[in-house]
Amino acid sequence: MNMRDKDFKSAPGGAANAGERNIAPATHSSHAMTSSGPASGASLPHESARAQVAGAATYVDDIAEVRGTLHAAPILSTVAHGRLLSVDTVAALAMPGVHGVVLSGDIPGDPMLATFVHDEPVFARDKVEHVGQVIGVVVADTVMQARRAARKVQAKIAPLPPVLSPRDAHARKSYVLPPVTVRRGEPEAALARSRHTLEGQLEVGGQEHFYLEGQVAYALPLEQGQWHIHSSTQHPGEVQHWVAHALGLENNAVTVECRRMGGGFGGKETQAGHMAVWAALAARKFKRPVKLRLDRDDDFMITGKRHPFAYDWQVGFDDSGLVTGLKLTMLADCGFSADLSGPVADRAVFHTDNAYFLSHVEIASYRCKTNTQSHTAFRGFGGPQGVIVIEAILGDIARHLALDPLDVRMRNLYGVEDRNITHYQMKVEDNILQPLMAQLERTSNYRQRRAAIAAWNTRSPVIKRGIAFTPVKFGISFTATFFNQAGALVHVYTDGSVQVNHGGTEMGQGLNTKVAQVVADELGVPFERVRSTAADTSKVPNASATAASSGTDLNGRAAQFAARNVKDNLASFVSGLDGCGAGAVTFRGGQVISPKATRSFDEVVKAAYANRIQLWSDGFYRTPKIHYDKTTLTGRPFYYFAYGAACSEVAIDTLTGESRLLKVDILHDAGTPINPAIDIGQIEGGFIQGVGWLTTEQLVWNDQGTLMTHAPSTYKIPATGDVPEHFRIELWPEANREDNVGGSKAVGEPPFMLAISVWEALREAVAAARVAARSGSANPEPVRMPAPATAENVLAAITPDIRALR
């Protein structure tokens, strides 16, 4: 039976009319885009929007190629695990346009990539460890010549048994890093005295980044052993370091530039470095510029994904659903090398509590080595894999006790005066969970809709509905404390125009727009007078990755400080002219105002230049208050928390397992937004990307270790038809309680985890179907359904007999 639109659109007990789509913040008014008002707080257009719509925004592959540019394509392993015996390149070298092949023997520097763990080779040498591992590159006159020739290379590999699942790796004690355990209280004793206990397992799949612009790098050799690398990367500084390391050079010989990316999502935090290194090695060997752009299939086969996780848990609780003890084992599938798996797995441990106080808890985290791609950063960076397991446990508790899951969640929330210390010993000082959730409960009509859905399910034999309400508490800062720093440059030119450069990278998230808004307001000039330029390691050195949702927090503050230095120079100059204190000079609306005179900003700048006043400055910022012990995973790893909640309603077809998302209501804490429209766009996009992770985006490796879902034909990301007509987003009306730029809060990652409400709503619908199948009798078995909730997995969860046959 196919899904019937009439069954899926007539939502019972809705908070608003079907078809309503309100994505404007109810609690913030937007300024009109004028030159007179403040820039911050206004929903100004993305700084590249017009160029992008016109097709005039330049990405790496759009850069005009230097004469003589060659193209590289990767040679891939077809075996998941084996000894690399030889590489036969004869057939490839005979192909038209081919200049040659680059293998591990052509590396002048370290044959291992400059990763923290130093465990990943630039090119496979004596062994291969996953299907798709790069053995070398073929270099030719054109992209297609290089790709065709790469497929002619014959690698002789003696196969070895592969390890393809985290449970198998754990059984073999195959790890990329040592295990970590965090413990508080006495969980064994707490479990023994708990009134109720449950135990279970959960399997959660990974996720392909599926950035619109694939991985690409363009390496240009310059004079005197210098290099210029154009890279689609979230971390130009790391690409610089990796390229220099492979070429055997100092960092100052390599400049890396990135004007923008066509999406990143974490997939270009470390793994963009591979393309740059491979292109640079080819350029060095052939003494010509070389571009390497992966096609989509190769991108899938080579690059890492969101880490799949497996869990085993035992929980104790009382009659109200209060958790009294928890023991949890987390098995992170890291792939064949460490990459960023250590901090990803750490953040999963940090976010296992999500919004809830855990009094007696033990979390054992294992970083498992498998013969798959080396999994890497992805939006949320392990946080989603921590949050989903505690939400699944609370959902099981609620169904076991026949309680409303929202009541169980509210019962377990962190407190304000007590019950406010995390399991990693950080005090939760900015807790707004209870009032935020209470407000969304009212505005979404959650209670009425839950009752209406229960009534619907009693009379609908095939289509079952579910509703769920889940919160998020997400820590903001890099867990690697030293990354929490940023630099920026602000230049004021003699015509009064302003240029800002910072260490962050633009990947469509609006970072450059927000930074320009902050600088405009600091100097009191119209937003249109400020231009953001490309991230460039020769301008701001040693910059951290644009990741951990901290791009605006770090780079916006650094740029604000740089602009403030210039403003202070100008204020001192004007105070000398007018005989007043510098503090009496203000900048707003394009004017500089003292107690004696009002001048245009442009006029003051010209006069200051004539008087040899410095009109540029740097700015530096490091996040305060943070510290933690990476051995014990205790301390204060986060500057603050971002909060939110979502109420999602779904329907499933019990005959096919097909599901549909019907309604979403979100209330999210973005502090005082610098740009409300951009923030809402991040909430919207993050949520839908999370829905994809938990419903349709299934990564499938066969028993030989080959990724079978390596193209849009087999790997399904959400499309416009998957976005519900009722999709309401509102912003919580309170500034960040910490001293953050503009009173704002990070918004890139936290909304992603709100999509867990969809996963939990699907489990509610499955539970309703299973109760109906048993003629309304209570169902003692918890809902066991792996993520993503594909039609196959939903159907198997409804009918355990089907699951047993799989």
Side-chain angles (χ1 to χ4, degrees):
M1 175 181 175
N2 293 325
M3 300 283 273
R4 296 170 294 177
D5 282 349
K6 68 183 183 64
D7 286 332
F8 278 80
K9 288 186 177 178
S10 55
N17 294 330
E20 180 176 34
R21 180 174 167 81
N22 173 15
I23 61 169
T27 53
H28 291 273
S29 61
S30 298
H31 297 284
M33 194 189 77
T34 66
S35 297
S36 57
S40 294
S43 289
L44 300 177
H46 190 288
E47 52 91 21
S48 295
R50 289 180 176 84
Q52 287 167 321
V53 169
T58 301
Y59 296 85
V60 172
D61 201 36
D62 300 319
I63 296 170
E65 293 173 2
V66 174
R67 185 171 57 188
T69 293
L70 301 176
H71 298 266
I75 303 163
L76 307 184
S77 169
T78 57
V79 176
H81 189 204
R83 293 189 301 274
L84 180 58
L85 303 178
S86 64
V87 180
D88 182 353
T89 62
V90 173
L93 294 174
M95 296 283 287
V98 173
H99 287 251
V101 174
V102 184
L103 301 172
S104 60
D106 296 306
I107 302 170
D110 191 339
M112 303 296 288
L113 290 168
T115 62
F116 287 114
V117 182
H118 208 64
D119 65 342
E120 185 175 349
V122 173
F123 295 126
R125 294 185 293 169
D126 56 349
K127 62 180 177 180
V128 295
E129 297 192 85
H130 75 91
V131 174
Q133 184 172 0
V134 175
I135 296 170
V137 296
V138 173
V139 181
D141 288 326
T142 70
V143 174
M144 294 312 299
Q145 286 174 337
R147 289 177 180 172
R148 292 188 190 105
R151 284 157 175 75
K152 294 291 186 179
V153 175
Q154 298 294 316
K156 185 177 181 181
I157 301 169
L160 296 170
V163 178
L164 299 176
S165 77
R167 293 194 183 277
D168 189 12
H170 184 47
R172 301 185 188 199
K173 300 190 184 305
S174 172
Y175 308 122
V176 297
L177 292 166
V180 171
T181 299
V182 173
R183 182 182 174 93
R184 174 164 67 181
E186 297 294 336
E188 294 85 2
L191 286 166
R193 63 176 178 263
S194 294
R195 183 169 178 80
H196 306 275
T197 60
L198 283 174
E199 60 183 32
Q201 295 183 328
L202 177 63
E203 315 291 326
V204 175
Q207 185 177 25
E208 165 64 29
H209 299 86
F210 218 108
Y211 21 65
L212 291 180
E213 176 204 29
Q215 297 277 7
V216 59
Y218 186 23
L220 294 94
L222 306 177
E223 63 169 276
Q224 302 181 65
Q226 298 178 78
W227 291 80
H228 195 98
I229 310 292
H230 293 282
S231 175
S232 181
T233 177
Q234 295 173 238
H235 198 176
E238 185 162 69
V239 172
Q240 176 194 38
H241 177 49
W242 281 25
V243 170
H245 188 76
L247 294 178
L249 301 173
E250 293 187 323
N251 287 355
N252 64 6
V254 180
T255 295
V256 177
E257 180 180 349
C258 178
R259 174 59 182 91
R260 62 173 61 82
M261 289 164 276
F265 310 117
K268 297 176 181 177
E269 184 172 344
T270 59
Q271 302 208 356
H274 299 72
M275 314 313 128
V277 168
W278 298 332
L281 289 170
R284 177 190 177 276
K285 180 171 181 176
F286 297 103
K287 297 179 173 54
R288 302 261 294 269
V290 171
K291 182 188 289 185
L292 194 161
R293 173 172 56 85
L294 298 182
D295 71 11
R296 184 64 67 177
D297 291 88
D298 285 351
D299 203 322
F300 263 87
M301 299 303 291
I302 293 169
T303 62
K305 324 299 178 192
R306 181 184 298 281
H307 290 66
F309 268 59
Y311 313 83
D312 297 304
W313 52 266
Q314 185 179 11
V315 66
F317 49 98
D318 67 14
D319 290 338
S320 70
L322 180 70
V323 172
T324 51
L326 174 65
K327 292 197 70 172
L328 172 66
T329 298
M330 311 176 87
L331 307 178
D333 184 344
C334 302
F336 82 99
S337 69
D339 193 83
L340 294 171
S341 296
V344 166
D346 289 350
R347 190 174 274 267
V349 172
F350 288 139
H351 286 81
T352 296
D353 61 341
N354 189 22
Y356 314 111
F357 178 76
L358 302 175
S359 55
H360 297 275
V361 59
E362 180 183 87
I363 305 167
S365 171
Y366 295 88
R367 294 91 198 273
C368 301
K369 178 173 181 174
T370 59
N371 293 116
T372 60
Q373 293 83 350
S374 185
H375 299 310
T376 190
F378 199 133
R379 194 178 205 158
F381 201 78
Q385 293 97 317
V387 172
I388 191 172
V389 66
I390 191 65
E391 293 297 343
I393 290 169
L394 292 182
D396 284 350
I397 290 171
R399 283 183 286 273
H400 181 83
L401 296 173
L403 297 175
D404 187 322
L406 177 56
D407 291 334
V408 172
R409 291 183 166 95
M410 296 292 281
R411 179 72 178 90
N412 283 282
L413 288 179
Y414 275 104
V416 175
E417 299 299 330
D418 58 4
R419 291 172 48 85
N420 59 2
I421 305 296
T422 68
H423 56 293
Y424 48 90
Q425 303 305 310
M426 177 176 172
K427 185 176 182 180
V428 181
E429 298 175 331
D430 55 1
N431 187 353
I432 58 171
L433 285 164
Q434 200 285 329
L436 184 149
M437 293 174 70
Q439 179 171 317
L440 183 61
E441 180 189 342
R442 292 192 301 274
T443 59
S444 67
N445 288 336
Y446 167 79
R447 302 287 181 181
Q448 298 93 319
R449 289 166 63 187
R450 180 172 170 81
I453 287 169
W456 164 281
N457 287 336
T458 62
R459 63 177 184 268
S460 174
V462 174
I463 305 300
K464 299 295 181 182
R465 290 186 170 155
I467 188 170
F469 187 121
T470 63
V472 67
K473 172 185 69 67
F474 192 79
I476 304 299
S477 288
F478 285 97
T479 51
T481 303
F482 63 87
F483 279 138
N484 293 286
Q485 57 177 299
L489 295 171
V490 168
H491 298 168
V492 176
Y493 294 95
T494 53
D495 63 353
S497 64
V498 181
Q499 185 184 93
V500 57
N501 185 272
H502 56 87
T505 52
E506 176 63 52
M507 62 197 87
Q509 84 281 36
L511 173 60
N512 283 345
T513 307
K514 287 186 173 184
V515 170
Q517 288 177 269
V518 169
V519 169
D521 284 352
E522 189 65 34
L523 294 174
V525 300
F527 171 75
E528 296 81 3
R529 301 300 303 281
V530 181
R531 184 179 296 274
S532 296
T533 58
D536 188 328
T537 59
S538 68
K539 292 184 177 179
V540 177
N542 312 317
S544 299
T546 304
S549 300
S550 61
T552 301
D553 288 7
L554 295 174
N555 298 287
R557 188 63 113 185
Q560 184 180 48
F561 289 169
R564 186 169 297 167
N565 291 338
V566 176
K567 183 177 74 173
D568 289 346
N569 291 345
L570 293 174
S572 295
F573 171 64
V574 170
S575 70
L577 296 177
D578 293 354
C580 64
V585 181
T586 59
F587 295 69
R588 64 176 181 269
Q591 295 182 320
V592 182
I593 304 164
S594 79
K596 291 189 177 180
T598 297
R599 304 172 178 86
S600 72
F601 182 80
D602 296 1
E603 177 187 351
V604 170
V605 166
K606 289 178 182 177
Y609 172 76
N611 283 272
R612 298 180 294 174
I613 302 299
Q614 182 176 329
L615 296 176
W616 62 271
S617 185
D618 63 320
F620 180 79
Y621 175 71
R622 65 176 190 170
T623 308
K625 297 186 178 182
I626 54 175
H627 61 87
Y628 96 105
D629 184 331
K630 64 181 182 181
T631 302
T632 62
L633 265 64
T634 58
R636 178 175 177 158
F638 308 121
Y639 186 32
Y640 62 87
F641 293 103
Y643 300 92
C647 177
S648 295
E649 183 179 333
V650 303
I652 62 172
D653 185 324
T654 60
L655 301 182
T656 66
E658 186 181 359
S659 66
R660 183 172 295 178
L661 177 58
L662 301 178
K663 290 186 176 185
V664 176
D665 293 88
I666 292 173
L667 179 57
H668 195 74
D669 165 36
T672 300
I674 294 171
N675 190 311
I678 285 177
D679 284 359
I680 288 170
Q682 287 293 294
I683 296 167
E684 199 175 18
F687 181 87
I688 294 299
Q689 191 173 53
V691 171
W693 172 50
L694 295 173
T695 60
T696 62
E697 297 185 43
Q698 187 173 33
L699 294 164
V700 179
W701 284 267
N702 67 15
D703 58 6
Q704 299 301 307
T706 300
L707 179 64
M708 305 303 291
T709 50
H710 54 81
S713 59
T714 50
Y715 185 84
K716 299 298 183 182
I717 64 172
T720 53
D722 297 304
V723 179
E725 293 180 1
H726 178 107
F727 193 16
R728 302 184 61 183
I729 299 171
E730 296 185 357
L731 301 181
W732 179 255
E734 181 180 347
N736 193 334
R737 296 181 188 178
E738 294 291 350
D739 181 20
N740 203 46
V741 59
S744 65
K745 283 193 175 185
V747 75
E749 292 172 304
F752 181 95
M753 281 143 284
L754 295 178
I756 293 171
S757 61
V758 176
W759 161 257
E760 280 298 293
L762 287 167
R763 295 211 307 150
E764 285 286 292
V766 167
R770 289 171 60 181
V771 168
R774 289 166 171 78
S775 302
S777 62
N779 177 19
E781 183 186 351
V783 173
R784 294 286 176 250
M785 181 170 66
T790 61
E792 181 184 25
N793 286 339
V794 169
L795 192 61
I798 294 171
T799 311
D801 291 343
I802 294 177
R803 185 171 71 233
L805 294 173
R806 292 175 60 194

